[in-house]
Amino acid sequence: MLRSLVFIATALLVSVGCAGPGKAPDTSRKGCIESFDSSKDYFPEKTKPEFAENFSLEYHNSYKVVTVRRPADVGMEEKYVLLQCGAPRPELPAVLSRAPVITVPITSLFSASSTHMPLLVDLGHVEVLTGVAQARYITTEPILDWIRQGHVTEYAANDVIDTETVILKAPAIVMSSGGFPEAYNTLQKAGIAVVTNVEWQERSALARAEWLKFMAVFLNEEGKANGQFNAIRDRYMALKDRVIKLPEKARPRVMTGTVYRGTFDISGGASYVARLIADAGGVYVWAENKASGGTSVDIESQIARAADADIWINGGDWTSLKDMLAEEPRYRHFKSFQQGNVWLYNRIVHENGGYDYWSRGITRPDLILGDLIKIFHPELARDHEFVWYKQVPRE
Amino acid sequence: MKVAPRLAVHHSSQPAHTVARRWSSRSRESIVIAAMMLALVAVFLLSLAISSVWVPLDQVVAVLTGMDTEQSSAHVLIREVRLPRSLTALLAGAALGIAGLQMQTLFRNPLADPYALGIASGASLGVALVLLTSGAVVSNVFASSLGLAGDAAVTAASIAGAALAISVVLGLSNRVENPATVLILGLMFGYAAQAFVTVLVAGTDPDKLQRWVAWGFGSFSGVQWGKMTLFAPLVLIGLGISALTTKQLNALLLGEKYASSMGLNVRRMRVLTMAGASILGGVVTAFCGPIAFLGIAIPHMCRGLLGTSDHRSLVPATILMGGIVALTAQIISLLPGNSGVFPLNAVTSLIGAPVVVIVLMRNRRGAFTA
C-alpha cells in the first residue's frame, strides 16, 4: 500500500515537472528560425534609445545585446544576450561570457513592478505576463483582467521573493526594477535570467516612456515601439513648442511636495517632474537641486523658497484645501495654497486606490505635459482635456 | 534638621563624606544648575537664530520683539517654524530626561530608559497600524472615527499604542513584588509589539514604508502651535509629577524595603512614577517619534556634573540638561546650508554618546550611585 502511494506521488511529481513551461526551446513558435542562415539579419526592425540614458542596444544577425548602465545606484552595468529563437548559440566575446542568454521573443515574464504593465499593454503582449511580484498595486485594467482569468502567479506577495515558486514556474525572464535582493542571485544560479528595468532613474518623462523600446526588444516588437514612441515624442515636442517662447515673467513659479513632521518630500531638481515643469513653461523653485528622484527639505527651506510660488503640483492624498490644513496648518503660508492653486494627479483613481497616472502616465508623457500646460497656461491648451490633473477643491 | 533625608541619601553612596564636604557639594550643585540655566537660554536663542535658512540677526531680534511686519517671510520662519520647534525640543528633551531618571531610580538600573516599559514599541505599533496598513482597513476607520487626518491620526495612534503598553505593564506590575520583574514584563511587551510591527512592515509598499522610516528618524519640527496646546500641557503634567515626588524618589534609591520602612507607600509611588514616566515618554514619542538616547543619557550627564544622586537637584538639572542637549541636537541636524534633513536620532546618539562616555570616565565613582 505504502509503496504504491510513493509510486503515485513520484509519478505525479514527475508529470508536474515535465509540464513546467519554458524548459525546452520551442522552435515551433511563430517567428522561430527553422533553417539557420548565419548571413541573414533576423532583426530587420531595429530601435535605438533617443532620450533614455540608462540602456543601450546592439544588433547582430541572430542576437542582440542589451546593456543597462546603472541597474542600481551602485553596481556595475549589466548585459543580456537576446538570441532569436531557433538560432544556434553564437560565439560570444569575453565581455558577454557572464551575460544571460535569453531566447526571444519571450513567451513568459515575471514582473517586479506595476510600472512595467503599461509597456506590455501598449505593445499588445499582455499574454506573456505569467507572474507579478504583488498584484495589489496593479492598476492597469487589461492586466487586471488577465490576472482575474488566473494566468498570473503572485511571487512576492509579502515583499519577499518566493524563489521556489519562481524556479518552479521557470519564466523566460524576471524583470526587476533595480536593487539586488539575494533572491535574484539564487534565481540566476537556477538559470533564470533576471533583467533590470530602471525606467524610474531616467531624468525626463520622455526618457522614461522610451523604456517601451526596452520591453519591445524582448518581444521583437521594435517596429511597434518605434511607431508609438515617435508619435508620443512628436506630440510632446509640439506641446513643448507652444510654451518655448514665453518670456521668463510669463512663467509661473511651481512647487511640489507634501510635508511630514516638518520635512517636505519634494521632487528633486534633476527629476523628470522638474523637467516636465520646465517643458510645460513653468519655473521649478528647486530647479538647481541635484537630486534626480525625490528628495527631502525641511519646512523652513521650503517656506523660504516656495512661499511665493504660484502653483503647487503633486502633493499628498488631499481631498480639499481644508483637508490639507488639518494635516499641516503651516500650508497656509504658501501663496499657491492661499490662492487655491493646488493640483493633484488624482482625476482617475482605480478602485484599489492606485492612481491611473502611475500606470498609463508612464508611457504618455505627452498627456502629462498637456495637463501641466493647461494648468500653467490655460490659454495655450484650450484643445486639451485634463487627463489626470485636478484642482484641489476648497471644501 | 531640614537636610535629613538628603544626608541619608548621601550616606548610602558616600559614607565617608564629611559635613563640610556636603556643603561644598551643595554649592557645586547650585553653580552647575545656574550654569545650565544660562546655557539653556543661550542654546534656545541660538536655535531661533541659526537654522537651514539664513535670517539676519537683526530680523530675528525684530521678530522676537514684535517690531517687524506681520507678513515677512522671516516672521513666518521664526514665529511659525523655529519657535514651536525649539519649544518642542526643549520640552521633549526635558521630558525624556526626567522619564529616564524616574525609570533608572525606580528600577535601580542605570540602563533603564523611558522606553523600558515598552512605551516606544507600543507607540510604534499604533503608528505602524496607521501608516502601514493598506487602504480602508484599520487606518481609515481609526482616523475617520476620530475625525483626524494625516499626522493627527499618527499622533493619536501613537498615544493609544503607548497607553496600551502602559496599562498592560501597570496592570501586571500590581501582581508582582520585584521591580526587576516589571522591567522584564515591559521588555516582553516590547518584543511582542515589535513582532506585529515586523509583520506589518513585511507586507508594505515602499511609499508607506518611507513614511514609517521617516517617523523612526524622530523630529521636533512636526509640532506646530495647534499641537503645542496639547503637547506642552501633557509634558508639564509629567514634569510636575517628578518635581513633586523628589523626596520619594530619593527614598526609592535606598531600595523599596528601606523606603517603605521610612513610611513611603512604595506601591503607590511605583504606579505614580511609572504613570508619570509613561506619559512623558508616550507623549514625546507620539509627537516627535521615538527619540533615541536622551532618556538614558541625560540623567547620567547630570549625575556626573552634579556629583550627586539627590533628586532635589537632579530633577531640575535633568530638565535643564534635557533641553540643552535636545536643542543642540536640533541645531546640528539643521545647520545652515543643509536644507536636506539630517535625521535627529542620528545626531542625538552621535553627539550624545561620547559626551556620556567622557562624563562617566571623569567621574570615577560612576555616574549611577544608587
Side-chain angles (χ1 to χ4, degrees), chain A residues 18 44 47 55 59 76-77 107-108 114 116 137 157 202 261 275 319 330:
Chain A
C18 292
T47 190
F55 78 95
Y59 285 88
M76 306 214 298
E77 63 174 26
T107 52
S108 54
S114 60
H116 305 158
Y137 302 132
E202 295 292 347
R261 300 221 155 179
R275 185 64 181 275
T319 51
R330 287 174 289 197

Side-chain angles (χ1 to χ4, degrees), chain A residues 223-261:
Chain A
K224 209 185 245 177
N226 284 338
Q228 289 181 1
F229 182 75
N230 290 346
I232 288 163
R233 177 200 60 200
D234 294 346
R235 279 193 296 267
Y236 189 98
M237 292 304 179
L239 282 166
K240 190 180 158 187
D241 280 343
R242 294 186 190 180
V243 299
I244 210 152
K245 290 211 179 71
L246 285 174
E248 195 63 30
K249 63 177 195 296
R251 293 170 187 258
R253 283 167 48 77
V254 181
M255 65 181 283
T256 63
T258 171
V259 83
Y260 180 65
R261 300 221 155 179

Side-chain angles (χ1 to χ4, degrees), chain A residues 148-317:
Chain A
R148 279 184 215 112
Q149 289 162 27
H151 299 289
V152 178
T153 306
E154 200 174 28
Y155 69 88
N158 285 319
D159 256 4
V160 182
I161 296 174
D162 179 357
T163 40
E164 291 185 30
T165 301
V166 181
I167 291 169
L168 180 73
K169 300 278 178 179
I173 58 174
V174 173
M175 192 171 278
S176 90
S177 51
F180 21 76
E182 197 52 35
Y184 289 145
N185 288 338
T186 314
L187 294 180
Q188 276 160 338
K189 282 193 194 114
I192 292 169
V194 178
V195 164
T196 311
N197 177 335
V198 275
E199 106 283 329
W200 52 272
Q201 282 194 343
E202 295 292 347
R203 284 178 291 181
S204 75
L206 267 184
R208 279 160 68 96
E210 209 171 17
W211 284 70
L212 186 68
K213 294 176 180 174
F214 180 84
M215 184 65 94
V217 294
F218 293 91
L219 298 161
N220 283 354
E221 288 288 9
E222 280 95 331
K224 209 185 245 177
N226 284 338
Q228 289 181 1
F229 182 75
N230 290 346
I232 288 163
R233 177 200 60 200
D234 294 346
R235 279 193 296 267
Y236 189 98
M237 292 304 179
L239 282 166
K240 190 180 158 187
D241 280 343
R242 294 186 190 180
V243 299
I244 210 152
K245 290 211 179 71
L246 285 174
E248 195 63 30
K249 63 177 195 296
R251 293 170 187 258
R253 283 167 48 77
V254 181
M255 65 181 283
T256 63
T258 171
V259 83
Y260 180 65
R261 300 221 155 179
T263 299
F264 250 94
D265 294 324
I266 60 164
S267 297
S271 69
Y272 74 95
V273 175
R275 185 64 181 275
L276 277 166
I277 292 171
D279 286 351
V283 176
Y284 186 36
V285 293
W286 287 96
E288 82 296 344
N289 171 287
K290 298 277 188 294
S292 61
T295 189
S296 300
V297 295
D298 69 298
I299 189 170
E300 199 173 316
S301 307
Q302 178 78 326
I303 289 176
R305 181 81 62 133
D308 64 341
D310 305 289
I311 293 165
W312 185 338
I313 62 167
N314 303 5
D317 291 332

Side-chain angles (χ1 to χ4, degrees), chain A residues 264-377:
Chain A
F264 250 94
D265 294 324
I266 60 164
S267 297
S271 69
Y272 74 95
V273 175
R275 185 64 181 275
L276 277 166
I277 292 171
D279 286 351
V283 176
Y284 186 36
V285 293
W286 287 96
E288 82 296 344
N289 171 287
K290 298 277 188 294
S292 61
T295 189
S296 300
V297 295
D298 69 298
I299 189 170
E300 199 173 316
S301 307
Q302 178 78 326
I303 289 176
R305 181 81 62 133
D308 64 341
D310 305 289
I311 293 165
W312 185 338
I313 62 167
N314 303 5
D317 291 332
W318 307 315
T319 51
S320 67
L321 297 181
K322 213 173 128 196
D323 186 28
M324 285 177 76
L325 271 194
E327 184 181 294
E328 172 57 82
R330 287 174 289 197
Y331 283 148
R332 72 176 185 279
H333 300 300
F334 293 93
K335 179 177 138 193
S336 50
F337 175 87
Q338 293 157 5
Q339 300 185 342
N341 257 326
V342 185
W343 296 75
L344 304 175
Y345 43 67
N346 60 359
R347 189 172 286 265
I348 309 174
V349 181
H350 197 268
E351 60 192 10
N352 68 7
Y355 288 8
D356 186 59
Y357 174 90
W358 284 121
S359 53
R360 272 202 306 147
I362 301 275
T363 53
R364 293 310 300 276
D366 53 325
L367 296 180
I368 302 178
L369 189 69
D371 275 13
L372 291 182
I373 293 177
K374 203 172 171 75
I375 297 170
F376 301 169
H377 308 283

